[in-house]
Amino acid sequence: MRFLIVAALVAACSHPSSSTAPTSGSWKGPDVLAHVPADTPYVFALLEPPSAAVHQKMLGNMDAVVLPALTKAEAVPLDKRLALDPPKRALLGIMDAMRGTDPTRWYENLGFTKNGHWVLYGLGVWPALRVEVSDAAKLRGILAEAAKTLAMPELEQKDSNGVPYWIASKLGMSAIVAVTDRELVAAVLPSVSLATTVPVVLGQKPVARSLRDSGELADLMARHHFVPATVAMIDTGRMIAALERRDDFATTSVFTAPACHADYERIAAAVPRIVLGYHQLDTRGFTASFVVETAPEIAKQLATLHTAMPAAPDAAHAMMSLVVAADVDAGVAMVRGWLQGLADHPFQCEQLAITKMVVAGALEQTKTLIPAELKGLHGGELVIEDANESPPGGAGYVLVAGDQIAIALGQALHKLPIGGLSIAPDGQPLELPVGMLGMSGVTSAHLAMHTSRAALAIGPNSKTEVTTALAAPNAASSPLVTFDWDIARFIRQLPSVMKEANRNNLASIATMTSTLDVRGDTVAIDIGGTWAP
């Protein structure tokens, strides 16, 4: 069952729609949201199926993982299968069904709807999953055979108003799995109230007010300029309410302690909500954002960290680049202030007691986090223009900005196991002995610095490049962090750097750009990319 859920989530999550952003109130989402309570503390859903073209662009990611696994499973002979333990035999049986007569249709072979809707959400804190199916009888039969193979005494088959479901209970919790006429449904529920919660999960008893009726997702997407594709939301205030419920979806009473409520309210005030969504998704590429809605004071403090750095070359002109445009000292001081606040006013809830030790340790570490010679850093930039595995080498540069660059660089050169090297803060390139870099493919390296900047470049044009990097003008505005990556080129030229599974996961993406920055009262990680041909 775990394999089915993971496969369904990953496959569906990888295929959002390419629609335009909805107008607030004019769009409420698919029917599957009718089973999601309006007060759910978290939801993660595919709201609109992908276009066939986008589906084709992204399907290779999962196929590269699933199809070889199906081939490997098929090769296990019957005598060896019979010797395996029941869970492994059950998994092989499911994989046989996935393979079918056409393994490339493995998702549909299980009975799921191609490009169907799905939603993961909370009934209180209790998780529930719904995945659209096209052949309920087929999927139900596959699960029944797997349950029979498992032969677990704690796994029972029961019935709720004509709908069969499997259930296993332990430690006051029950996991259920069912296949209705339209959906695979899975959930974890409190065992004490199954008589009333199971009908809600199976859609036989309506929720008081649904997320579809509330229109909240439409408002959320309008606020963050999301298209109705894959969307996620975690509401910390509702999470507190869910922890303190006293109805059929209640948790244990430990969360209702007054100290817990006050502590959780502090957390919710700092981070009211977390959302995820797409701004654009089509056959060319995608842009998406992971947004943390914060207290205004937190966002204001983070915004003060901004500094300015030169813009890095885009993914079309460099294999990889990383730019940090933030005041490092101010960032550490800000974090120390947050930690000191927690140390002076620690959480009182027993469940959060461990934070006292964590905060104390973190405070101590921040004292020596930045060596004295590196104080005053205002940002840094790393650009890898080219790289090869054999012989090991490449081209690119590092640029660092700060108040004590000359001091720090002088000390660093003094510590090197070579003599006679010194550099003045006059911007003139200093040639470095390439042997010190330990890369046989590098034939030239130069270093240069001003009083507030230093640059190191390697590669055939290092002398020119180090001067250019040192003199580059700052961008008009810089996110706190910017990362550009030519993934296709990286995999092609450095195949051994990544594990095969990671290469497969990234094979459909050609280039990617991501930033971390503050927007209003939010902290946003924006990610954009282009598809591989």
Side-chain angles (χ1 to χ4, degrees), residues 229-294:
T230 301
V231 66
M233 176 189 71
I234 300 174
D235 189 299
T236 53
R238 290 179 185 171
M239 187 66 75
I240 297 171
L243 288 170
E244 298 177 346
R245 288 178 73 146
R246 299 294 185 93
D247 60 6
D248 293 334
F249 291 105
T251 58
T252 59
S253 59
V254 69
F255 294 108
T256 62
C260 286
H261 179 85
D263 288 343
Y264 290 143
E265 286 285 1
R266 287 175 62 186
I267 297 172
V271 184
R273 190 163 64 171
I274 300 171
V275 297
L276 168 70
Y278 283 85
H279 303 288
Q280 170 255 332
L281 201 299
D282 53 34
T283 54
R284 294 168 298 174
F286 61 91
T287 56
S289 290
F290 177 83
V291 182
V292 180
E293 298 179 0
T294 67

Side-chain angles (χ1 to χ4, degrees), residues 409 412-413 415-418 421 430-440 442 445-447 456 458:
L409 193 56
L413 287 174
K415 294 177 181 178
L416 291 176
I418 51 177
L421 279 183
L430 170 68
E431 185 173 6
L432 298 175
V434 293
M436 64 178 280
L437 299 176
M439 293 187 290
S440 58
V442 175
H446 285 80
L447 178 69
L456 166 68
I458 64 171

Side-chain angles (χ1 to χ4, degrees), residues 435-499:
M436 64 178 280
L437 299 176
M439 293 187 290
S440 58
V442 175
T443 58
S444 176
H446 285 80
L447 178 69
M449 76 172 180
H450 288 311
T451 54
S452 59
R453 271 191 187 181
L456 166 68
I458 64 171
N461 301 314
S462 63
K463 185 175 182 180
T464 300
E465 194 155 66
V466 75
T467 303
T468 301
L470 197 66
N474 288 331
S477 63
S478 302
L480 292 173
V481 180
T482 303
F483 178 64
D484 291 322
W485 189 12
D486 188 331
I487 297 175
R489 186 179 169 199
F490 186 94
I491 293 175
R492 185 171 62 251
Q493 295 183 212
L494 302 171
S496 300
V497 173
M498 273 193 229
K499 294 181 179 179

Side-chain angles (χ1 to χ4, degrees), residues 157-166 176 178 180 194-205:
Q157 182 172 339
K158 295 187 176 183
D159 182 277
S160 176
N161 297 317
V163 177
Y165 65 93
W166 293 270
I176 74 162
T180 68
L194 290 173
T196 52
T197 58
V198 168
V200 174
V201 171
L202 298 184
Q204 297 168 334
K205 180 181 178 182

Side-chain angles (χ1 to χ4, degrees), residues 189-454:
L189 301 167
S191 299
V192 68
S193 56
L194 290 173
T196 52
T197 58
V198 168
V200 174
V201 171
L202 298 184
Q204 297 168 334
K205 180 181 178 182
V207 295
R209 184 166 181 260
S210 75
L211 191 61
R212 188 175 189 275
D213 294 336
S214 73
E216 180 181 6
L217 288 184
D219 293 338
L220 180 145
M221 288 187 292
R223 175 181 178 183
H224 294 287
H225 308 288
F226 292 154
V227 298
T230 301
V231 66
M233 176 189 71
I234 300 174
D235 189 299
T236 53
R238 290 179 185 171
M239 187 66 75
I240 297 171
L243 288 170
E244 298 177 346
R245 288 178 73 146
R246 299 294 185 93
D247 60 6
D248 293 334
F249 291 105
T251 58
T252 59
S253 59
V254 69
F255 294 108
T256 62
C260 286
H261 179 85
D263 288 343
Y264 290 143
E265 286 285 1
R266 287 175 62 186
I267 297 172
V271 184
R273 190 163 64 171
I274 300 171
V275 297
L276 168 70
Y278 283 85
H279 303 288
Q280 170 255 332
L281 201 299
D282 53 34
T283 54
R284 294 168 298 174
F286 61 91
T287 56
S289 290
F290 177 83
V291 182
V292 180
E293 298 179 0
T294 67
E297 181 58 31
I298 292 177
K300 183 178 179 181
Q301 291 179 42
L302 288 168
T304 64
L305 302 183
H306 279 106
T307 59
M309 290 292 293
D314 59 33
H317 297 89
M319 180 180 289
M320 182 182 291
S321 65
L322 173 67
V323 180
V324 178
D327 187 321
V328 178
D329 289 354
V332 173
M334 182 183 66
V335 172
R336 279 191 59 82
W338 293 347
L339 292 171
Q340 191 61 56
L342 284 172
D344 296 339
H345 305 282
F347 293 126
Q348 301 301 312
C349 181
E350 181 181 349
Q351 281 64 42
L352 298 175
I354 191 174
T355 60
K356 294 181 181 179
M357 180 176 63
V358 173
V359 167
L363 265 174
E364 188 63 29
Q365 290 180 358
T366 57
K367 293 179 180 179
T368 56
L369 189 61
I370 304 176
E373 63 271 19
L374 293 181
K375 295 285 186 179
L377 286 177
H378 302 314
E381 192 167 301
L382 168 67
V383 176
I384 301 175
E385 296 170 331
D386 197 13
N388 298 289
E389 285 189 0
S390 182
Y397 63 88
V398 177
L399 176 67
V400 181
D403 298 334
Q404 300 189 88
I405 290 299
I407 297 173
L409 193 56
Q411 292 180 352
L413 287 174
H414 181 72
K415 294 177 181 178
L416 291 176
I418 51 177
L421 279 183
S422 62
I423 186 169
D426 55 7
Q428 295 302 307
L430 170 68
E431 185 173 6
L432 298 175
V434 293
M436 64 178 280
L437 299 176
M439 293 187 290
S440 58
V442 175
T443 58
S444 176
H446 285 80
L447 178 69
M449 76 172 180
H450 288 311
T451 54
S452 59
R453 271 191 187 181

